[in-house]
Each structure stands twice: as C-alpha cells, then as structure tokens.
Amino acid sequence: MKTPVTKKVLQQHWVYHWWKYLVLVAGSILLWNMIYTSTAYRPPEDKKVNLYAMASTGDQQGINDYLEGVRERLLPEMEEVSAIFLIQDDTYAPVQLSTYLMAGEGDVYLLPQKYFRDYAQNGAFIPLEGTLAEEAATKLGIDLAKGYRVDADSGETHLFGIPAASLAGLTKYGIPVTDGYLSVSILSGNEENSIRLLSILLEEMQGEAS
C-alpha cells in the first residue's frame, strides 16, 4: 500500500533528504559552468593581451574598462585586452604565480621587486633591450638600472623589467607600483603586442596621481 503524499510526509522527506537536493543543485551549477567554459569563445593567443598584476583588493573592473579603451584606441587588431589580479598573500602568491607562468598564462606581469627578481633570474621574462618598452621608458626618464638581472642559466645580464614606481595612474585602480616592475612573460603567445601594451602603460599612467 502506497503512503499518501501529504504535507507532513513532504516535510519529513525534506528534513531527511534536503542535502541531496543541495548536492543536485550544486552539481548542476558546476556542470553548467564546465559546459559554458569549454564551449565559450576564446580569442586566439595572437589576438589577446592579458595584464597580470598583484593587486588582490584592487578595482579589476575599472582597469578592465580602461584596457578595453586602450584596445579600441591603440590595439584595434586585438580581440581582448584585459587584466587579472593575483593574490598578494606570501603563502599562496608564489604558488599561484609559478602556476600561471609555467602554464603560459598572462602576457604582461606587474610584480613586486622580490618576485620580479626571483623569476627574472630564472628565465621567466623576455629581455626588453631594443624594444618599444625600453624606448618609451628612456624617453620618459625612467631609471632602468634596477630592471637588469643576471640570467642564472646563461650568466648574461638583461633588462627583464621596467621599474613601475612612477606609474601613479595605476594606483587609482588599487594596483601598487612603489616597488613594482613590468615584464613580459617568455611564454607569452603575443610578444609584440605585449610589449606595445607595456609601452602604452608607461606613457599613459606616468605621473597620474589617483
């Protein structure tokens, strides 16, 4: 004999089985996100430039709005120019940063001095001598001395980063620049336009106090 479906029965069922519905809903959301992520259009590497900056509490939407404007004005051949903020916690930041760099994620990096030095000497960034970035920095009077590091493998000294201390315009987005360095990942899939973006940041963010 079947038990009649009454309000009391439904209440008792919910009391003992509510977690199953919660798991079902969570699983459905996760599945949908996976489907969306795997099927959503992604620009090819040579059509996008990503800025990765250590600024976990910054205004990511604000900097992305600015970068979209840069794309429209100065990099119209790009389909995406955007920023990703990295955590600044000393425990987890090195793990996250290493993972992104080794996976070839991100093109232009803005890092504090301690991280810049470690990764630069271990070959994570391209040399910037003779590029638009060096030219722009020199024109703006930026002292490049601290951007030179010795590559641990080759023993050669190169300009791996541009000091960003004078880029006060970035601070209005909550991005710290006091001891920061701008570099281009050696695994960037869009080296030329990454250097162009770095140069644009140097020119447009110079001395713009927040």
Side-chain angles (χ1 to χ4, degrees):
M1 180 177 180
K2 294 183 179 179
T3 302
V5 179
T6 64
K7 183 177 180 181
K8 182 178 180 180
V9 170
L10 289 175
Q11 287 176 334
Q12 289 178 336
H13 176 81
W14 176 251
V15 168
Y16 292 105
H17 300 281
W18 64 268
W19 62 272
K20 295 180 181 179
Y21 293 99
L22 184 62
V23 171
L24 180 61
V25 171
S28 298
I29 294 173
L30 178 60
L31 179 60
W32 171 253
N33 285 339
M34 290 175 63
I35 292 173
Y36 177 80
T37 301
S38 62
T39 59
Y41 172 74
R42 295 182 180 181
E45 291 297 316
D46 62 346
K47 292 295 181 180
K48 67 177 180 178
V49 183
N50 296 130
L51 167 67
Y52 278 38
M54 278 198 173
S56 55
T57 60
D59 181 6
Q60 188 165 335
Q61 184 59 53
I63 188 65
N64 276 327
D65 289 343
Y66 162 73
L67 291 174
E68 174 59 19
V70 167
R71 186 194 68 78
E72 293 175 349
R73 291 184 292 111
L74 303 170
L75 298 169
E77 66 277 21
M78 295 294 99
E79 296 181 15
E80 176 186 307
V81 179
S82 62
I84 299 294
F85 284 178
L86 307 177
I87 57 177
Q88 293 176 284
D89 181 89
D90 287 339
T91 301
Y92 299 106
V95 177
Q96 184 187 46
L97 182 56
S98 296
T99 300
Y100 280 137
L101 284 168
M102 289 189 293
E105 296 288 335
D107 301 290
V108 179
Y109 276 81
L110 176 52
L111 302 176
Q113 185 181 68
K114 61 180 179 180
Y115 293 116
F116 162 70
R117 286 180 172 178
D118 288 344
Y119 288 96
Q121 69 183 19
N122 285 295
F125 307 123
I126 67 169
L128 295 172
E129 303 101 300
T131 67
L132 287 174
E134 182 190 36
E135 181 181 332
T138 301
K139 181 179 178 181
L140 292 165
I142 296 175
D143 184 358
L144 299 176
K146 292 183 179 180
Y148 283 88
R149 306 301 300 170
V150 177
D151 186 297
D153 290 331
S154 68
E156 299 177 355
T157 299
H158 291 288
L159 177 64
F160 289 116
I162 306 295
S166 60
L167 275 63
L170 288 174
T171 62
K172 68 181 178 182
Y173 302 112
I175 302 175
V177 298
T178 303
D179 68 340
Y181 291 79
L182 282 164
S183 305
V184 174
S185 170
I186 197 167
L187 295 180
S188 168
N190 196 352
E191 187 175 301
E192 179 181 352
N193 287 297
S194 296
I195 292 173
R196 288 175 64 190
L197 176 61
L198 196 161
S199 304
I200 291 167
L201 292 174
L202 290 176
E203 294 168 353
E204 296 196 349
M205 292 296 171
Q206 193 72 210
E208 296 180 9
S210 58

